[in-house]
Amino acid sequence: MSQTVFAPWEDPNEKPLIQFKNVTKRFGDFVAIDNLTQDIFAKEFFALLGPSGCGKTTMMRMLAGFEAPTQGQIFIAGQDMAKIPPNKRAVNMMFQSYALFPHLSVWENIAFGLKREGKDKDAITARVEEMLRLTRLSKFAKRKPHQISGGQRQRVALARSLAKAPKLLLLDEPLGALDKKLRQDTQFELMDIQEKTGTTFVIVTHDQEEAMTVASRVAVMDEGQIIQVATPAQIYEAPNSVYVADFIGDVNIISGRAKPNGEKVATQWAEGQPDIIGTTATKFDAGQEIHFAIRPEKVAISTEEPQDAANKVQGKVLDIAYLGNISTYHVELPTGHVIKAQTANTRRLSRRQITWEDPVWISWTDTAGVLLER
Amino acid sequence: MRRFILIAVPYLWLVALFLIPFVIVLKISLSDVALARPPYMPQLDFAAGWEGFKAFFAALDFENFWFLTTDDLYWKAYLSSLQIALTSTVITLLVGYPIAYAMARAAPEWRPTLLMLVILPFWTSFLIRVYAWMGILSNEGLLNQFLLWLGLINEPLTILNTNTAVYIGIVYTYLPFMILPIYSALERMDDSLLEAAEDLGCSRLSAFWLVTIPLSKNGIIAGCFLVFIPVIGEFVIPSLLGGSGTLMIGKVLWEEFFSNRDWPVASAVAVILLLILVIPIILFQRNEQKQREAEG
Ligand SMILES: Nc1ncnc2c1ncn2[C@@H]1O[C@H](COP(=O)(O)OP(=O)(O)OP(=O)(O)O)[C@@H](O)[C@H]1O
Ligand SMILES: [Mg+2]
């Protein structure tokens, strides 16, 4: 692996900044975090992704010190955090609701944490001005939070949490309230800030696209557990379960029985249909339940039978979703399965247009999909 | 036209319930005492027409206001009222704030009940409640008996008919006016603000000073005015619970009216009292206005 790639989690000598060790958090009988163990490394941009109520905010709040684990320990920079109150942690949180102080101006909001450190006036002024410039808020320094727009408020919250140069910055759905354009701009801004300041970011989001854009690693959570942690590309290309594959992006899932065959594994999925041939590193027993997952853009669609494809099935077009740059075809197979196939619209002119009810062939190579146990 | 009526109605209300009574009182304050019924001169004689009108206005003068400056009883009473009002406002704030704070922190399902408890005393007559305090505070009263029984004191404390009793009465009576505006300010406060303050390095206590207090400032100001303004003119509490040493302008006013039957001087006292009250009332209105703007 080349040295320029940032992947501290692959280096066994690297000390993690944050360690969750068998952390369980209960609210009464309800288990919000279920025996969770996870390392997060310095300078990572770590995204927590999962459906509503899966425990993302709870994890953040435990890092910030607003909730204590019911069981297990959390270490930050090697120190057990159990007895450390929020105001003694080198951790800052950007709240989902921004939590800006309504009685203070933008300037004073950003200076709030610095003043608590007892820094001298000039140092505070310099730092606040720097933060204002970084978040492009200099013009609004004197305004109160209710006198600026939602996007500006969000940037104030970001500036305020960054001002103390924390070791760890927690962002709880920081961009939830923004429209798509501003959201994308801010995502890149965040990445830029992260690169400039070298801060470790943990970001909560339920927008998978956002997680894929900003994160060095993504953790997909469900019901208080982390199901998979990997880089965005790995999560997308090699999900470890149907749950993750389904959660991240669009996917076709075909379930069947495994039939190992040397290097390859065939999936028997329907009477009278050819087996789906795939490659996998996982060992499957003959007859074991198996799920074949393939992304729509890996499925080719054509009107004529493809000659050299490892897998091909005939069907008819049920629906077409035109998305400008791409089109998604919903193809119904004779077995009743509906497979989504996606093509870029650049080649549209060179090909006979496919429309509703057309008989078509869909095909994919034997490495296009992944084979999953669960 | 509808607009006109909409604007006119509150003004008519104000004229009927405030301005006309005030003009009557002002007129009496400019008159002279007389052994008559009503006990002052001159009376407007409509039968005499324009001449009667002129004679009427010629008889009005500021004599009574002059009189107020000659006897130091009056300005001492004003000052003492202001001082008692100020002190009891501070005490009410010190007692009321923690109660309001505890109410706002209580579990949401408890809050309506607590609110109810604060308002509950209003359901019985104010006079009865003050008389009840006489029963509690007197030498043979409940409080003394209790303290004697505990053995904390050997002889009864004299509380009734002192300023202490007046303060107790005022704080007790006006506490809800302090609690309610502060509670409503605190209840609206977002808890995540306190977490944000702690996150940025505040201890619990400094988060309270830097966030909770400033955010309840308008409630505090409103509560203080709601206590301070009526207490200045308070009459029932000082006359029932206070002693001969308790000097308050409300009591002086009552004595001028009903003991001396000097309506003109009593009216002059009332007019001055009103002028004194106008200042805090205007400040109070300003505060409310500012708050509305900040929220709007
Ligand atoms: N103080 C609490 N008392 C009781 N249950 C709680 C408390 N805080 C959180 N929970 C429960 O814990 C679970 C996880 O909550 P959490 O706020 O971490 O969800 P989340 O993943 O952030 O969801 P969302 O995406 O909706 O913000 C939820 O089911 C929630 O109801
Ligand atoms: Mg959440």
Side-chain angles (χ1 to χ4, degrees):
Chain A
M1 180 159 277
S2 96
Q3 282 184 324
T4 51
V5 173
F6 175 73
W9 50 88
E10 288 184 349
D11 181 352
N13 296 322
E14 192 79 35
K15 286 250 178 323
L17 178 69
I18 304 167
Q19 290 170 284
F20 283 87
K21 286 195 177 161
N22 302 96
V23 173
T24 296
K25 175 71 191 175
R26 285 193 207 96
F27 294 106
D29 295 337
F30 181 80
V31 183
I33 296 293
D34 189 2
N35 193 23
L36 182 140
T37 300
Q38 179 62 45
D39 291 349
I40 300 172
F41 294 85
K43 301 197 177 159
E44 261 203 86
F45 205 131
F46 194 87
L48 293 171
L49 194 57
S52 185
C54 69
K56 305 180 297 286
T57 299
T58 307
M59 261 183 87
M60 293 283 231
R61 291 175 59 80
M62 286 196 290
L63 282 173
F66 300 126
E67 307 279 3
T70 315
Q71 274 155 29
Q73 290 163 298
I74 297 173
F75 293 86
I76 297 181
Q79 191 185 9
D80 187 352
M81 287 283 120
K83 295 263 149 50
I84 317 255
N87 55 330
K88 297 269 163 27
R89 299 187 180 199
V91 175
N92 283 137
M93 180 149 168
M94 178 180 162
F95 288 76
Q96 189 167 2
S97 59
Y98 307 152
L100 298 179
F101 303 120
H103 58 297
L104 301 178
S105 68
V106 167
W107 202 98
E108 290 164 324
N109 262 287
I110 298 173
F112 191 91
L114 299 170
K115 285 185 182 166
R116 306 286 83 72
E117 283 177 338
K119 283 201 173 144
D120 68 273
K121 253 207 167 109
D122 295 340
I124 292 177
T125 309
R127 182 71 181 157
V128 174
E129 301 292 335
E130 187 190 339
M131 286 298 120
L132 286 169
R133 257 195 320 273
L134 186 71
T135 49
R136 289 185 268 124
L137 283 166
S138 305
K139 266 191 281 179
F140 309 104
K142 288 206 180 63
R143 302 239 195 124
K144 290 274 174 67
H146 67 92
Q147 294 167 322
I148 55 179
S149 77
Q152 289 159 351
R153 246 173 262 167
Q154 178 258 316
R155 298 213 297 273
V156 178
L158 181 64
R160 186 180 70 177
S161 52
L162 272 172
K164 290 182 78 174
K167 261 195 256 177
L168 172 61
L169 187 65
L170 306 172
L171 305 163
D172 193 354
E173 300 202 25
L175 315 180
L178 305 185
D179 65 61
K180 189 162 176 168
K181 179 80 179 65
L182 192 53
R183 211 180 161 101
Q184 285 174 346
D185 288 352
T186 317
Q187 283 166 7
F188 286 111
E189 221 171 283
L190 276 181
M191 289 156 72
D192 205 39
I193 289 168
Q194 201 257 355
E195 225 157 84
K196 273 188 204 153
T197 58
T199 311
T200 308
F201 279 41
V202 177
I203 184 172
V204 162
T205 172
H206 55 228
D207 175 352
Q208 44 111 351
E209 218 175 296
E210 182 168 297
M212 305 300 274
T213 311
V214 298
S216 61
R217 280 196 299 168
V218 176
V220 180
M221 293 182 67
D222 188 31
E223 296 185 344
Q225 288 176 320
I226 292 183
I227 308 294
Q228 185 176 9
V229 186
T231 62
Q234 281 168 342
I235 286 262
Y236 191 78
E237 301 290 344
N240 68 357
S241 60
V242 172
Y243 178 81
V244 173
D246 199 26
F247 197 80
I248 305 281
D250 226 350
V251 74
N252 299 300
I253 307 272
I254 299 172
S255 303
R257 298 275 153 209
K259 200 167 89 185
N261 181 8
E263 296 262 284
K264 308 208 164 150
V265 178
T267 304
Q268 298 175 296
W269 60 285
E271 287 289 319
Q273 290 285 344
D275 294 346
I276 296 168
I277 311 295
T279 44
T280 178
T282 323
K283 273 262 165 282
F284 283 94
D285 298 329
Q288 190 188 345
E289 191 183 358
I290 192 168
H291 307 276
F292 176 73
I294 185 164
R295 302 283 176 196
E297 71 271 15
K298 302 247 165 82
V299 180
I301 182 166
S302 57
T303 48
E304 275 135 43
E305 185 172 353
Q307 292 312 311
D308 49 359
N311 299 286
K312 54 188 171 187
V313 203
Q314 203 169 16
K316 82 171 189 273
V317 176
L318 202 62
D319 206 356
I320 305 170
Y322 175 71
L323 300 166
N325 50 345
I326 51 173
S327 292
T328 305
Y329 298 88
H330 295 237
V331 178
E332 191 178 26
L333 306 185
T335 54
H337 290 82
V338 176
I339 302 291
K340 282 174 267 183
Q342 218 167 51
T343 53
N345 283 338
T346 46
R347 290 169 296 163
R348 204 182 66 191
L349 290 175
S350 65
R351 174 196 300 191
R352 192 174 80 91
Q353 188 139 2
I354 299 167
T355 61
W356 286 267
E357 301 295 329
D358 277 0
V360 288
W361 284 92
I362 52 173
S363 59
W364 58 88
T365 65
D366 56 0
T367 53
V370 284
L371 293 162
L372 303 167
E373 288 176 272
R374 57 190 167 95
Chain B
M1 189 59 202
R2 259 194 52 197
R3 240 184 101 79
F4 176 76
I5 293 174
L6 275 180
I7 296 171
V9 166
Y11 277 99
L12 283 175
W13 188 264
L14 207 66
V15 166
L17 292 179
F18 177 77
L19 209 58
I20 293 177
F22 176 72
V23 168
I24 293 173
V25 170
L26 184 67
K27 185 249 150 187
I28 299 175
S29 75
L30 299 173
S31 311
D32 297 311
V33 201
L35 277 174
R37 181 176 294 242
Y40 54 87
M41 285 275 288
Q43 305 291 338
L44 188 52
D45 185 2
F46 285 104
W50 180 240
E51 285 304 311
F53 232 79
K54 277 208 285 192
F56 171 76
F57 276 103
L60 296 179
D61 53 47
F62 286 95
E63 205 180 352
N64 298 313
F65 289 93
W66 258 120
F67 174 70
L68 294 189
T69 61
T70 58
D71 193 333
D72 62 4
L73 166 76
Y74 298 103
W75 65 262
K76 275 187 181 156
Y78 281 119
L79 271 187
S80 155
S81 295
L82 284 174
Q83 185 255 314
I84 289 178
L86 202 65
T87 313
S88 41
T89 303
V90 172
I91 301 174
T92 315
L93 175 62
L94 294 180
V95 176
Y97 198 97
I99 298 177
Y101 186 81
M103 282 169 64
R105 300 261 113 191
E109 63 266 28
W110 275 99
R111 287 181 202 163
T113 315
L114 293 171
L115 215 53
M116 203 64 225
L117 288 175
V118 169
I119 303 169
L120 202 61
F122 287 124
W123 289 8
T124 43
S125 152
F126 165 58
L127 265 182
I128 291 177
R129 286 183 282 134
V130 177
Y131 272 107
W133 274 107
M134 291 171 74
I136 295 171
L137 298 176
S138 69
N139 279 8
E140 308 78 40
L142 289 175
L143 180 64
N144 273 317
Q145 282 184 15
F146 182 64
L147 292 178
L148 285 169
W149 178 76
L150 280 183
L152 285 176
I153 50 172
N154 294 323
E155 28 191 284
L157 300 169
T158 313
I159 303 174
L160 192 62
N161 301 329
T162 64
N163 276 0
T164 313
V166 174
Y167 285 127
I168 292 176
I170 291 176
V171 170
Y172 162 75
T173 307
Y174 288 94
L175 198 56
F177 295 100
M178 185 64 83
I179 293 177
L180 295 178
I182 296 177
Y183 168 76
S184 95
L186 286 175
E187 200 218 22
R188 256 177 309 177
M189 204 179 87
D190 183 358
D191 279 349
S192 64
L193 292 178
L194 290 177
E195 288 187 344
E198 279 186 62
D199 190 62
L200 292 165
C202 280
S203 63
R204 286 270 161 88
L205 190 67
S206 60
F208 177 78
W209 281 113
L210 292 167
V211 177
T212 311
I213 293 280
L215 286 178
S216 52
K217 191 185 80 190
N218 284 320
I220 295 174
I221 294 176
C224 286
F225 279 122
L226 286 177
V227 174
F228 183 76
I229 293 169
V231 168
I232 293 179
E234 182 55 57
F235 155 70
V236 174
I237 296 170
S239 50
L240 291 183
L241 300 180
S244 50
T246 310
L247 195 56
M248 282 192 82
I249 198 67
K251 234 169 95 180
V252 171
L253 188 68
W254 195 89
E255 271 156 21
E256 289 295 349
F257 256 113
F258 297 103
S259 308
N260 293 353
R261 280 186 69 76
D262 191 340
W263 286 26
V265 165
S267 300
V269 169
V271 170
I272 299 283
L273 177 60
L274 187 80
L275 292 181
I276 293 175
L277 285 180
V278 160
I279 300 166
I281 288 173
I282 289 175
L283 290 176
F284 176 64
Q285 290 293 355
R286 281 253 179 92
N287 177 57
E288 296 282 285
Q289 179 96 23
K290 248 177 43 195
Q291 188 178 344
R292 243 172 282 137
E293 274 165 17
E295 281 165 14

